[in-house]
Amino acid sequence: MKPLVAPVALATYGATIRPRANSIHNAHTRATNTARKTSKAPLLEAQASSTPPTRTKMAIVGVSVLLFASVFVLVNMMRVPVYDESITISAALSAPATGPAAPTQMHVAFAGEVAVKGYTAIRTSTAAAAELRLGMTVSWATAAKTATSTVRYGLSKDDLSTLQQATEPCEQYDFCSYTSPWLHHVTIPGDKLTPDTTAIVCAGDLSYADSEQYRWDRWGNLVEPLIARMPWMIAPGNHELERPCQPDVSKFVAYQTRFRMPYDPENQLQRRNLYYGFRVGLVHFIILTPYVDSTTTSLQHEWLQQEFQRVDRSVTPWLVVIMHGPWYNSNTAHQGMEPHMIMKKNMEDILYWNKVDVVVAGHVHAYERSHPVYKEKVVEDGPVYVVLGDAGNREGLAPTYFDPQPEWSAFRQADYGFSMLNVVNRTHASMQWFEDQAEGDAILRDTVVLTTSNESAGEELIDSMTANVSVKWGKQVFKDVLVDKAAPVAVLKAQLYALTNVPVERQKLMSKAWKGMLKDDADLAALDKLVDGTGVMLMGSAEVVHKPTEPVVFIEDMTTKDIAATGTVYPAGLVNLGNTCYMNATLQCLRPVKELREALMAQGGGVSADLANNFTTALKDMYGQLDGSVDSITPSMFVSVLRRAYPQFAQQSPRSGGYMQQDSEEFLSTLFSTLQQTLTQPAGGFKSLGPTSNVVDALFGLEMDEKLECTESDMEPVVTKKEKALKLVCNITIETNHLSDGIKIVSTGDIGSSKLVFELVSD
């Protein structure tokens, strides 16, 4: 990758200030709603152009979460058309608009090259164009399972005569106690696709579900108005790496099942959505992940070498790699030997040797762009590395950078924003970063012109519309600042912000090349005196970045105990030690009772000849382990003490010799009985039904009024009495639909000609 002398916007295309992403999203939401009223559920709409486009534009974001204002940008993604004729398509799900079979969480993605059969449209004579036949995968979720997954599409909205059905049945996945909706994926053949579509690339950390699976559903519905109408290409981040309860469930099960990126099921090296490649327009994209093995003997490394062999620079002269963890990062966050740094050690050479142009990553919650770099040194033909972890998240920004700034780091800023990669032709592209604003348009802060390391033709076009100027700011002088005369003034100001840290809104520019202060709407191309050697004076104070008053802590840098304390992940589990599920379930149900855990922590503990004391100490220690872990723990000590103190829980099967299953209610009664003996400290801080001698009665004790009356004679006196208990029994019969039904079965009953009635009163 060879940049021009200074970062500028491309002369032949120019740069524009884009509206804020949330305003664009709202406009698309309105368009989506209108379309649904007219054609039930249109999912894909586009028009082809009869003139082959040569420009590719793509929005690339580093972290995609619920903050739309910082994430999504609608831009055009064009490719070489397969057919000369114009094609208009519209796809709609073959499903009702309401009910359990209604589609939700809809999204579309490129499916890579799709085999086409039986289509008679006139092909272009260009072999390269015919090779780039992209399919489109349509995905959605339903509450009910359907016999087939079907998409209707055709040449117009009024004629959705073509059906496409999935080659695989819809699927579900289980995650702890959660069961996903039914998930559908259908691929539309490439011949029906238009060459003019829109797209987003996201470098990981999508919903921040972090094992809370309902967040995936909520997030899927939230972003549907956008990602159901354009290709949505993703990479896995560390927040897609979740913690299922079942040992046979993949940690990527939600990411792998909910999305369908381009992959070859017959390629034994590929692991579905974890790493893959796709080609669109003049760009070949490669998606990688640091969160599976990336060593030189790994499947991913072997697949990457195979994918580089598929790259044809005569068809796709631009080569872009997307991954979540950044290889070049001067922010203090996410340093050390995290998985992405191990990946860099194993793969940096192969990316350099194959002349990758741009590498985009996220993970660090800030923005940074490098010079072309290889092995920590600035080189002319190295990739440009961009960190785009600034799109928004629940953890905040990463505001602290190492000082001094490394030589390879060209620009860095910790603010929310987004980036755009504009591929203009086979040799030149530009990349801009916009800082999002609380109100109004996003502000262009960084821009750079790129020339592909694969070809060098076309530089004379740039030279004819540029000027090398000298900028004086206070006592500092910046020589050879390359001004793109075809670009707006905002691009020049973004360059100066990168050099001086003077915000665009504070900049005042004076020069002999124009009169007075340079206006934002000035046409630089019309300034005949703006030539090489022109002097420019910049006035304005630099922006001061203050060190945060409190250190920023990220989940990835926290200890397991600190992570568990945040409550943002599932509580740690208990390993089953031979039919101990009765015990595990009971202990986990009691664990949320904060007062019980506090009483246990206040217990002196220690091992003694008293088995009840040893039981309580083992319970205290086990809860302490659970509180300090995010992974499952093995309760070996507690189980050992339980079986010694109460041999009925140590019964073994005479046939297999393994421990037998036990009753949860019996275990709960045993546990309460033991703690009544050991947790006898005053319970004045607990709200209870009256004076109690132990913590168990104070926390779990209930009192029932029993009334016995004769229904056949008023002469019999009514007998009432009070009864204390530690639990309510719920009988489950064929008539039990709710918990309250089961309790009523127990609390009402006939005894001969008398009726026993319990009235449940809660405080």
Side-chain angles (χ1 to χ4, degrees):
M1 173 66 60
K2 181 182 177 183
L4 298 183
V5 178
V8 297
L10 196 61
T12 56
Y13 179 66
T16 56
I17 300 296
R18 294 281 168 180
R20 293 184 70 228
N22 60 346
S23 62
I24 300 176
H25 165 256
N26 291 337
H28 244 263
T29 302
R30 291 192 294 271
T32 302
N33 293 338
T34 302
R36 285 181 177 168
K37 292 177 182 178
T38 57
S39 60
K40 295 184 179 179
L43 194 62
L44 189 64
E45 287 186 15
Q47 289 188 344
S49 171
S50 58
T51 303
T54 59
R55 184 175 67 218
T56 301
K57 294 179 66 183
M58 169 164 281
I60 302 180
V61 293
V63 181
S64 173
V65 290
L66 302 181
L67 302 179
F68 279 76
S70 299
V71 180
F72 300 112
V73 187
L74 306 186
V75 293
N76 289 328
M77 161 75 74
M78 299 184 180
R79 67 177 177 88
V80 179
V82 179
Y83 303 111
D84 291 330
E85 65 179 8
S86 295
I87 301 174
T88 301
I89 71 166
S90 177
L93 295 175
S94 178
T98 60
T104 62
Q105 305 180 47
M106 294 181 285
H107 55 273
V108 295
F110 288 126
E113 288 74 37
V114 177
V116 179
K117 299 179 181 179
Y119 191 70
T120 58
I122 301 174
R123 298 177 183 270
T124 59
S125 58
T126 306
E131 185 180 351
L132 285 178
R133 290 175 290 163
L134 296 179
M136 188 77 74
T137 296
V138 184
S139 303
W140 69 97
T142 58
K145 184 178 182 180
T146 57
T148 58
S149 301
T150 304
V151 171
R152 293 183 180 273
Y153 61 98
L155 297 180
S156 71
K157 295 180 182 179
D158 300 325
D159 180 21
L160 302 180
S161 57
T162 308
L163 287 176
Q164 186 70 26
Q165 294 185 346
T167 57
E168 303 175 20
C170 59
E171 55 185 334
Q172 279 184 318
Y173 70 89
D174 293 321
F175 194 103
C176 298
S177 60
Y178 169 89
T179 298
S180 75
W182 290 97
L183 303 165
H184 310 254
H185 306 285
V186 176
T187 298
I188 300 174
D191 283 67
K192 297 297 184 183
L193 285 179
T194 169
D196 184 5
T197 60
T198 52
I200 292 175
V201 175
C202 180
D205 283 359
L206 306 177
S207 69
Y208 268 67
D210 290 331
S211 300
E212 298 283 355
Q213 296 302 298
Y214 71 90
R215 291 176 180 168
W216 278 112
D217 298 319
R218 189 170 62 183
W219 175 85
N221 286 319
L222 182 64
V223 299
E224 177 191 323
L226 185 66
I227 66 176
R229 302 189 65 83
M230 68 186 64
W232 162 257
M233 310 307 292
I234 56 176
N238 57 298
H239 286 278
E240 276 69 68
L241 191 65
E242 302 183 279
R243 298 179 176 86
C245 304
Q246 304 91 327
D248 58 338
V249 173
S250 166
K251 294 182 179 181
F252 286 104
V253 62
Y255 172 81
Q256 293 281 57
T257 312
R258 290 175 180 270
F259 303 98
R260 182 62 53 85
M261 296 295 112
Y263 86 105
D264 181 2
E266 297 181 0
N267 188 340
Q268 297 182 357
L269 299 177
Q270 196 170 2
R271 294 180 60 184
R272 206 151 159 171
N273 303 332
L274 294 182
Y275 45 87
Y276 61 94
F278 66 97
R279 298 179 291 188
V280 59
L282 301 174
V283 186
H284 190 123
F285 287 92
I286 295 178
I287 309 297
L288 299 175
T289 177
Y291 306 109
V292 296
D293 190 3
S294 61
T295 58
T296 55
T297 58
S298 65
L299 294 179
Q300 183 174 199
H301 197 282
E302 186 176 351
W303 172 87
L304 179 59
Q305 292 177 313
Q306 182 186 84
E307 185 68 12
F308 276 132
Q309 293 176 3
R310 291 183 61 240
V311 176
D312 184 351
R313 301 303 277 261
S314 67
V315 177
T316 53
W318 292 90
L319 184 55
V320 177
V321 171
I322 311 289
M323 66 182 74
H324 185 63
W327 290 0
Y328 284 89
N329 162 40
S330 67
N331 196 290
T332 57
H334 298 305
Q335 297 291 339
M337 290 307 291
E338 290 195 29
H340 57 273
M341 298 309 295
I342 299 173
M343 189 183 204
K344 176 188 177 186
K345 179 180 178 182
N346 295 319
M347 290 186 173
E348 185 175 14
D349 286 340
I350 192 173
L351 264 63
Y352 176 74
W353 294 335
N354 284 277
K355 298 185 180 298
V356 170
D357 296 299
V358 180
V359 179
V360 178
H363 200 37
V364 176
H365 300 166
Y367 170 76
E368 185 165 13
R369 172 179 58 82
S370 79
H371 296 294
V373 60
Y374 174 61
K375 300 290 187 182
E376 315 298 325
K377 295 183 179 180
V378 176
V379 295
E380 187 175 284
D381 57 348
V384 169
Y385 289 83
V386 182
V387 180
L388 292 173
D390 56 338
N393 57 84
R394 65 165 176 261
E395 298 170 334
L397 293 165
T400 309
Y401 290 94
F402 287 115
D403 191 23
Q405 185 172 358
E407 180 185 0
W408 52 259
S409 177
F411 183 90
R412 56 188 188 175
Q413 182 174 329
D415 279 298
Y416 295 116
F418 57 90
S419 185
M420 292 175 57
L421 173 64
N422 306 304
V423 178
V424 177
N425 53 36
R426 301 179 61 82
T427 59
H428 291 83
S430 66
M431 197 166 189
Q432 293 94 29
W433 177 71
F434 296 84
E435 179 192 339
D436 199 34
Q437 302 296 300
E439 296 181 1
D441 293 343
I443 297 177
L444 177 62
R445 293 298 195 190
D446 182 39
T447 181
V448 63
V449 169
L450 308 170
T451 60
T452 178
S453 55
N454 182 58
E455 296 182 30
S456 59
E459 292 188 10
E460 66 281 355
L461 181 63
I462 299 295
D463 294 338
S464 65
M465 290 296 293
T466 60
N468 278 299
V469 303
S470 176
V471 178
K472 186 176 186 300
W473 176 57
K475 296 181 180 180
Q476 292 183 270
V477 177
F478 301 92
K479 297 182 179 180
D480 295 327
V481 176
L482 189 62
V483 177
D484 178 9
K485 297 173 65 174
V489 173
V491 173
L492 171 59
K493 289 189 173 183
Q495 291 175 248
L496 298 180
Y497 176 71
L499 292 172
T500 65
N501 213 33
V502 176
V504 170
E505 58 272 17
R506 297 182 193 172
Q507 292 182 22
K508 296 180 180 179
L509 300 176
M510 297 185 67
S511 173
K512 293 181 179 180
W514 57 82
K515 294 182 180 180
M517 299 293 178
L518 183 63
K519 296 181 179 180
D520 289 340
D521 59 354
D523 183 3
L524 298 180
L527 301 176
D528 296 334
K529 295 182 179 180
L530 184 58
V531 295
D532 290 347
T534 300
V536 176
M537 178 178 290
L538 168 64
M539 293 177 288
S541 58
E543 189 174 50
V544 179
V545 179
H546 297 284
K547 185 177 181 179
T549 55
E550 296 182 1
V552 179
V553 180
F554 298 95
I555 287 181
E556 294 80 4
D557 302 324
M558 297 168 66
T559 65
T560 54
K561 183 176 181 179
D562 291 337
I563 293 175
T566 64
T568 58
V569 295
Y570 272 119
L574 293 170
V575 175
N576 194 318
L577 296 177
N579 282 333
T580 57
C581 52
Y582 69 92
M583 178 197 78
N584 293 354
T586 304
L587 294 175
Q588 292 284 33
C589 286
L590 291 174
R591 186 184 169 202
V593 183
K594 179 182 177 182
E595 294 83 357
L596 175 62
R597 298 207 318 274
E598 290 176 346
L600 285 168
M601 293 301 110
Q603 179 74 2
V607 179
S608 67
D610 186 351
L611 292 178
N613 176 74
N614 294 344
F615 178 92
T616 305
T617 299
L619 179 62
K620 166 189 173 181
D621 293 343
M622 185 196 64
Y623 275 153
Q625 285 183 274
L626 287 172
D627 290 341
S629 176
V630 294
D631 298 315
S632 298
I633 69 165
T634 303
S636 304
M637 181 59 69
F638 180 80
V639 171
S640 176
V641 172
L642 169 68
R643 288 170 176 166
R644 285 202 307 271
Y646 304 102
Q648 66 267 34
F649 297 107
Q651 292 178 328
Q652 293 176 284
S653 170
R655 176 178 298 180
S656 65
Y659 288 102
M660 298 177 64
Q661 179 63 273
Q662 302 294 331
D663 184 66
S664 295
E665 184 180 2
E666 182 182 359
F667 172 72
L668 178 63
S669 298
T670 302
L671 184 145
F672 276 168
S673 176
T674 304
L675 297 183
Q676 282 175 322
Q677 303 173 43
T678 57
L679 299 183
T680 57
Q681 61 267 43
F686 301 146
K687 185 177 182 180
S688 59
L689 295 177
T692 58
S693 60
N694 61 79
V695 172
V696 173
D697 288 343
L699 287 176
F700 304 101
L702 56 92
E703 188 176 80
M704 294 182 289
D705 290 331
E706 179 181 323
K707 182 169 67 174
L708 183 65
E709 61 180 346
C710 179
T711 58
E712 296 181 354
S713 173
D714 295 336
M715 301 297 294
E716 293 291 333
V718 177
V719 179
T720 60
K721 64 178 181 178
K722 294 183 180 294
E723 181 178 342
K724 291 187 177 182
L726 292 174
K727 58 189 176 184
L728 281 176
V729 178
C730 174
N731 277 14
I732 300 177
T733 69
I734 194 172
E735 298 177 353
T736 306
N737 296 317
H738 303 283
L739 178 64
S740 58
D741 297 335
I743 295 176
K744 286 179 181 178
I745 293 174
V746 179
S747 60
T748 60
D750 291 324
I751 305 177
S753 60
S754 300
K755 188 175 184 180
L756 184 66
V757 179
F758 288 95
E759 182 179 0
L760 301 180
V761 180
S762 60
D763 187 356

